[in-house]
Amino acid sequence: MSLITQAPRGTQDVLPDSSYKWQYVEQTALSIARDFGFHEIRTPVFEHTNLFQRSVGETTDVVQKEMYTFEDKGGRSITLRPEGTAGAARAVLEHGLINGALPVKVSYITSCYRYEKSQKGRYREFHQFGVECFGALAPQADAEVIALAMQILKSVGLTDVALHINSIGCPTCRARYHEALKAYFASYAETLCGTCQDRLARNPMRILDCKSPVCGEIAAAAPVMMDYLCEPCAAHFAQVKGCLDAAEIPYQVDTHIVRGLDYYTRTVFELVSPQGLVVAGGGRYDGLLQELGGPAQPGLGFGMGVERLLMVMEEAGCRFPAAPQCDLYLAPMGEAAVSRCFALATALREGGMTVEFDVVGRSLKAQMKYADKLGARYTVVVGDAELESGVAKLKDMTTGETEEVSLDGGLYTLLRQKTLDRELAGVADLFSNVAEIG
Ligand code: HAM
């Protein structure tokens, strides 16, 4: 039988040598979100298919071409979530949070699934950090979620990601815009791809987001929504910009941002790396909750691709915390020493130390070689003499220096002190990231 050793196309394994980087960006994002009053929500990886049809929209690429949809054993149509907003909105409605104190502010880290052409920075399984704010209509709410996204980037050391913003209006002003778009695209009807020919009648704005190069070229010269905004939408956009200006958050207005999902209204934004990769995207969706059968409450948020964020950080040479290391390798020699070392390792781990100990039954020489491979900072060998005296030698694996230490409380105290000193140095180093930003 042949080995199954290849993951499906468009998926990635996160191996132990890099998972700590994921934990770092995820914890940073969740913690900054908490500072802004957003608290974590966890929703299922699959939902009823019609949730995404109704929210993301029937004419989007995501719904038409990219969803992982299947019938479950009970005959229901189920879809793996292609994004995080719809599930969060559904949960906020289902559990009545929207009827409590407003706004409801949630954050999440989710895996998402889209059957896309896989390429660098575009996967079929990917992860989003996101926030959603339900029940806030004022323009300062838009500025707040944008500021949150920017602060996350800044705190991981990314200062050259550009903020692009646009307004795509509301259903009132969009009706007039749709007419203008239809008139424009009608003259290219024969040239558009099959999907866009259908979109021309049903939802011409979606043509602006088509990935086909031919449609893209035609769309580049199409009328822009900014020229059709109604007075309240234009005023809202002006106030969002006013807040960003006041907080000195630099941005550029990009009238070509339309976003690939149907629920957006008014403000939309994208954070774009110097290489042109969209690290995060979001905006307002004032009609979404109602579309899902809830009250007429507005909403807004953004999603940040974790894979893309890490990729851009690596390209920019951002610093990560040091890879986790083993504080101590305990090497027992003989049966009596094994149980003593096991008890010691358990006590030290309870005290927060990272301790490894021989679970393979290696010779002392092989254990030392393994400790070296692990990158253990210190080793202690425990044999009959150490068991009898209760004193052993703590060896610094970098300098080769040794010092005597009692196997009771002394080992813990000494190790704790050395680890604290190292942690403080690590924090100081990471903070220098922020200090450089100013
Ligand atoms: P989105 O623009 O489709 O928006 O995705 C948000 C982010 O997820 C993108 O900017 C990108 O970083 C990442 N992303 C999307 N597709 C892929 C992929 N195939 N591979 C890798 N990364 C990807 C949304 O999903 C909205 N739910 C965002 C939102 C939240 N809007 C309001 N609230």
Side-chain angles (χ1 to χ4, degrees):
M1 203 194 293
S2 63
L3 280 175
I4 300 175
T5 53
Q6 212 165 15
R9 183 188 287 270
T11 67
Q12 295 192 107
D13 298 307
V14 180
L15 299 178
D17 66 358
S18 59
S19 56
Y20 72 96
K21 295 184 178 179
W22 283 68
Q23 290 166 358
Y24 165 62
V25 297
E26 289 175 357
Q27 291 312 319
T28 302
L30 285 171
S31 149
I32 293 174
R34 268 196 302 275
D35 293 344
F36 279 70
F38 290 81
H39 297 284
E40 194 185 356
I41 189 168
R42 298 187 188 198
T43 62
V45 72
F46 59 85
E47 298 271 0
H48 293 294
T49 301
N50 61 7
L51 173 69
F52 302 114
Q53 288 166 334
R54 292 263 288 276
S55 55
V56 171
E58 294 275 13
T59 54
T60 58
D61 267 0
V62 170
V63 169
Q64 288 191 325
K65 303 176 182 171
E66 297 169 0
M67 292 206 305
Y68 281 86
T69 298
F70 59 96
E71 199 172 281
D72 72 6
K73 292 195 192 306
R76 303 167 196 92
S77 181
I78 294 291
T79 294
L80 301 186
R81 65 179 161 224
E83 55 99 57
T85 308
R90 196 257 319 127
V92 160
L93 292 176
E94 181 170 343
H95 301 284
L97 305 188
I98 199 69
N99 307 318
L102 295 179
V104 178
K105 293 161 82 170
V106 298
S107 61
Y108 53 81
I109 291 176
T110 55
S111 55
C112 301
Y113 303 85
R114 297 184 192 176
Y115 192 79
E116 295 200 74
K117 210 166 154 203
S118 63
Q119 59 195 62
K120 195 171 173 232
R122 194 174 286 286
Y123 308 104
R124 292 182 179 169
E125 181 190 64
F126 61 98
H127 298 78
Q128 282 185 349
F129 163 78
V131 300
E132 311 295 345
C133 171
F134 300 98
L137 192 58
Q140 57 269 36
D142 309 40
E144 186 178 73
V145 297
I146 291 173
L148 166 51
M150 296 302 280
Q151 192 165 317
I152 291 170
L153 298 185
K154 198 169 165 180
S155 70
V156 296
L158 281 177
T159 48
D160 54 1
V161 172
L163 166 62
H164 294 202
I165 61 172
N166 189 22
S167 174
I168 56 169
C170 63
T172 312
C173 50
R174 225 181 272 165
R176 217 158 53 85
Y177 178 54
H178 275 186
E179 291 315 310
L181 273 186
K182 270 186 186 165
Y184 172 80
F185 284 121
S187 47
Y188 298 96
E190 308 287 276
T191 327
L192 293 172
C193 74
T195 315
C196 285
Q197 289 182 7
D198 172 55
R199 287 168 171 162
L200 182 54
R202 294 173 68 194
N203 189 355
M205 259 180 92
R206 285 276 63 94
I207 304 174
L208 300 172
D209 188 48
C210 181
K211 291 188 185 99
S212 131
V214 176
C215 299
E217 209 168 293
I218 299 170
V224 293
M225 182 66 221
M226 190 62 75
D227 296 334
Y228 293 81
L229 290 184
C230 62
E231 210 280 312
C233 285
H236 184 97
F237 193 54
Q239 283 172 291
V240 174
K241 288 190 291 179
C243 285
L244 295 176
D245 290 335
E248 296 182 12
I249 296 173
Y251 60 86
Q252 56 202 74
V253 175
D254 177 351
T255 55
H256 288 284
I257 299 179
V258 284
R259 311 281 301 129
L261 314 165
D262 268 355
Y263 47 62
Y264 290 109
T265 53
R266 292 192 164 174
T267 316
V268 285
F269 64 94
E270 288 180 347
L271 302 181
V272 188
S273 80
Q275 291 78 23
L277 198 62
V278 181
V279 181
R284 193 166 261 291
Y285 43 79
D286 291 343
L288 176 62
L289 292 187
Q290 213 170 10
E291 184 60 39
L292 297 180
Q297 285 290 354
L300 69 159
F302 70 82
M304 188 177 279
V306 180
E307 287 84 353
R308 290 194 190 178
L309 176 62
L310 286 164
M311 194 182 287
V312 173
M313 284 174 69
E314 298 277 7
E315 272 164 16
C318 294
R319 281 188 215 133
F320 288 93
Q325 250 185 328
C326 171
D327 295 326
L328 175 70
Y329 184 86
L330 268 174
M333 280 199 304
E335 230 171 82
V338 165
S339 39
R340 180 77 173 99
C341 283
F342 179 67
L344 253 179
T346 307
L348 289 167
R349 287 166 178 162
E350 269 174 19
M353 297 289 122
T354 308
V355 181
E356 294 261 8
F357 126 99
D358 179 45
V359 290
V360 177
R362 289 186 167 106
S363 70
L364 184 62
K365 193 168 159 214
Q367 287 195 57
M368 287 301 127
K369 224 168 138 187
Y370 179 64
D372 204 39
K373 248 194 205 147
L374 278 180
R377 297 191 163 258
Y378 301 96
T379 54
V380 166
V381 178
V382 180
D384 291 342
E386 288 78 12
L387 283 180
E388 203 167 304
S389 64
V391 175
K393 286 202 173 84
L394 180 77
K395 180 175 176 187
D396 184 322
M397 293 294 277
T398 323
T399 62
E401 284 166 15
T402 58
E403 55 189 295
E404 289 213 328
V405 62
S406 113
L407 286 179
D408 297 322
L411 180 55
Y412 177 76
T413 313
L414 189 61
L415 213 54
R416 182 85 227 150
Q417 189 52 52
K418 288 178 183 294
T419 323
L420 275 180
D421 289 348
R422 201 184 68 234
E423 274 170 17
L424 284 177
V427 170
D429 186 49
L430 259 189
F431 265 103
S432 66
N433 249 351
V434 180
E436 277 161 26
I437 296 163

